Amino acid sequence: MTQQPDILCIGSVLWDVIGRAPSHMRVGSDVPGRITRLPGGVAMNIAMTLRRFGMRPALLSNVGRDAEGDALIAAAQGMGLVCDHLYRSDDLPTDVYMAIEGANGLIAAIADAHSLEAAGDKILRPLANGALAMPAAPWAGPVALDGNLTAELLREIATSALFGKADLRVAPASPGKAERLLALLGHPSATLYVNLEEAGLLCQTTFASSAAAAAGLIARGARRVLVTDGSNSASEATGTDIITQTPPAVMVTRVTGAGDTFMAAHIASEAQGMARDAALARACQAAATYVSGEIP
Ligand SMILES: Nc1ncnc2c1ncn2[C@@H]1O[C@H](COP(=O)(O)OP(=O)(O)OP(=O)(O)O)[C@@H](O)[C@H]1O
Ligand SMILES: O=c1[nH]cc([C@@H]2O[C@H](CO)[C@@H](O)[C@H]2O)c(=O)[nH]1
């Protein structure tokens, strides 16, 4: 039986292939280490985290009809993610992201999300054909949308009636793709989740604080934004005010994924009816707990 989701995660769902070595690495290094494969892609990461916070996300993406795709869907279903609405392409392979991490941090990464880009608006069919929604009754719940979609598709979403009633929560896929989100900046029901660097890229400037960045994005037409800045304060801004809070101090053992944890905790807190201050505090706390190495 198809499970009814309470949030849609739209964007990349792929395999992360991560090579990790304990040594300091540079261009051309060839060192012993470990290579692992785990479910990834921004939409998938957000969905996995939302699930931990008690929500029931459905994935909208392209997954190939290949062995990698079958294994990825089995992993997602095992975590309780709704996979019934994924587009399974016969000719587009499952996407993959590859990163090399040394003792000195991320050395380099390549995101091959070409199949998602090629699938285009086919991934959105369940929002029009009645499977999840239809033009006469558009999806009226939360949507976590990632910036792996092409700028063209993001522009279409920004004006589509299929998203006219949705509570859009938007995350960039990487600093390199941050500018794709410009199409959604003026969307009347979009909330943007960005870090300080991404806020600067969207506004073509640099900001000294999350509050300044949040104000800058509102000035550029955003309806609501949340800006994080690592251990420094995080801010939420609307057209009327800005609230700012400082995450609790913790010992950092991991950083990748902090932004996803912040966003998922914030969305889940609001879905549970928490007020703005409380939701921001819970998101800061959850992401700080995550970077400290614990599971929030
Ligand atoms: N050093 C830290 N100490 C405490 N909390 C932190 C630290 N780094 C990150 N956090 C928590 O995580 C949130 C998001 O961090 P950050 O701004 O680094 O996100 P990000 O750059 O999107 O992360 P990533 O891209 O690695 O997932 C912060 O608002 C904070 O709550
Ligand atoms: O362009 C992209 N870069 C990185 C990711 C994902 O983000 C995580 C790393 O920051 C990782 O899961 C990767 O798949 C993506 O989906 N698109």
Side-chain angles (χ1 to χ4, degrees):
M1 198 186 87
T2 303
Q3 292 147 325
Q4 189 54 36
D6 53 16
I7 183 165
L8 310 180
C9 294
I10 306 179
S12 73
V13 172
L14 45 69
W15 282 108
D16 279 354
V17 177
I18 315 286
R20 282 201 182 95
S23 46
H24 186 101
M25 293 183 72
R26 54 178 172 73
V27 175
S29 293
D30 182 343
V31 296
R34 295 277 183 195
I35 300 176
T36 55
R37 183 178 87 158
L38 62 165
V42 173
M44 179 71 166
N45 291 336
I46 294 169
M48 292 189 290
T49 316
L50 285 166
R51 186 78 193 110
R52 286 209 322 271
F53 283 99
M55 296 193 77
R56 164 80 58 184
L59 299 167
L60 288 191
S61 185
N62 171 74
V63 173
R65 269 187 211 283
D66 44 19
E68 290 81 2
D70 290 344
L72 186 56
I73 288 184
Q77 283 173 333
M79 288 181 267
L81 307 182
V82 179
C83 296
D84 312 87
H85 308 290
L86 283 165
Y87 175 65
R88 300 292 310 267
S89 167
D90 286 321
D91 49 351
L92 298 169
T94 299
D95 284 326
V96 57
Y97 165 91
M98 188 175 76
I100 306 286
E101 296 175 11
N104 47 324
L106 177 70
I107 308 302
I110 294 177
D112 182 352
H114 286 94
S115 292
L116 176 69
E117 295 195 355
D121 64 3
K122 292 194 186 94
I123 66 166
L124 304 178
R125 281 178 185 162
L127 295 176
N129 66 11
L132 286 167
M134 53 189 157
W139 177 262
V143 172
L145 177 66
D146 89 34
N148 281 298
L149 304 188
T150 61
E152 186 194 353
L153 187 54
L154 290 167
R155 272 196 300 276
E156 266 177 57
I157 289 173
T159 53
S160 167
L162 296 179
F163 289 87
K165 290 206 159 30
D167 171 6
L168 270 183
R169 309 293 179 112
V170 188
S174 65
K177 294 177 179 172
E179 277 146 53
R180 293 185 184 187
L181 299 189
L182 283 172
L184 288 152
L185 209 54
H187 193 280
S189 66
T191 302
L192 256 57
Y193 291 81
V194 294
N195 65 24
L196 201 65
E197 180 190 5
E198 293 153 351
L201 287 167
L202 282 169
C203 296
Q204 292 173 302
T205 184
T206 51
F207 291 112
S209 68
S210 66
L217 283 162
I218 296 290
R220 297 275 299 219
R223 189 195 64 109
R224 181 159 89 123
V225 293
L226 283 107
V227 183
T228 60
D229 181 18
S231 61
N232 300 315
S233 69
S235 297
E236 189 225 320
T238 62
T240 37
D241 67 351
I242 301 180
I243 57 175
T244 296
Q245 291 183 19
T246 304
V250 293
M251 286 276 291
V252 180
T253 66
R254 57 178 170 182
V255 178
T256 308
D260 294 340
T261 305
F262 179 94
M263 177 174 174
H266 190 261
I267 293 172
S269 300
E270 291 199 327
Q272 289 159 11
M274 279 191 190
R276 286 173 63 204
D277 274 323
L280 180 59
R282 181 141 174 261
C284 284
Q285 171 71 60
T289 302
Y290 173 87
V291 299
S292 80
E294 287 172 46
I295 306 279

